[in-house]
Amino acid sequence: MTTRGVEWLSAAADDPMECRTKWAEDPRTPFALPVGRFFDVVTVEQRVGLEAFDQLLRHGLPFGPVVLDHKARRVGFFLTSRSKETFKRCLAESEGAPPPYRYLGWGSVVVVPGPMPLSGDRYQWLRAPTRRPFANPLRPVALATMLVGAAELLARVDRYSERYPSPAALALHLDEGAPADA
């Protein structure tokens, strides 16, 4: 994480100086930050979140910082504060069923990793803030779209895995002459 990223993130704390001091003492230290003033956070189950993160990257879509909580098995996507209505509207307009999610806005708290977490730490940045993110009205749209797409893709993979639990089951099915995706 860059110095500007640390400054922006710590500015969201109730006591920014305390946050920066803790991180100066140990840059691995997680810190609880209030949500709603500088940013909101959408959290989803880890599997869906990682797939959505990958799709956002692959397609070059706009998105902000992303945090992973290994113990809770959840991924949190940072949005501009007060993005809830846009995000919910985009989910409702999507062609698939949205995955279960938690929208953290004003009055909520999120735990973030320190600026330099190690690979075994509970909290890690998938995409750390490098500066104050620019407000982009397309972020909630891109996130909603990719969350729905990721959930649908994973549901399809799960159905396929149930149908063909092993390579032998797939080979048997193919030997019977039926197409694999039937």
Side-chain angles (χ1 to χ4, degrees), residues 1 4 8 16 33 35 67 95 118-119 126-127 129 147 157-158 163 175-177:
M1 182 183 309
R4 288 174 32 198
W8 172 75
L33 296 175
V35 180
V67 66
E95 291 184 18
L118 296 179
S119 62
L126 295 179
R127 183 177 190 178
L147 286 176
V157 166
D158 289 344
R163 190 169 184 184
D175 284 344
E176 293 172 356

Side-chain angles (χ1 to χ4, degrees), residues 47 154-166 169-170:
R47 193 166 168 234
L154 292 170
R156 185 172 181 183
V157 166
D158 289 344
R159 285 191 305 273
Y160 188 84
S161 294
E162 288 170 8
R163 190 169 184 184
Y164 307 110
S166 69
L170 178 58

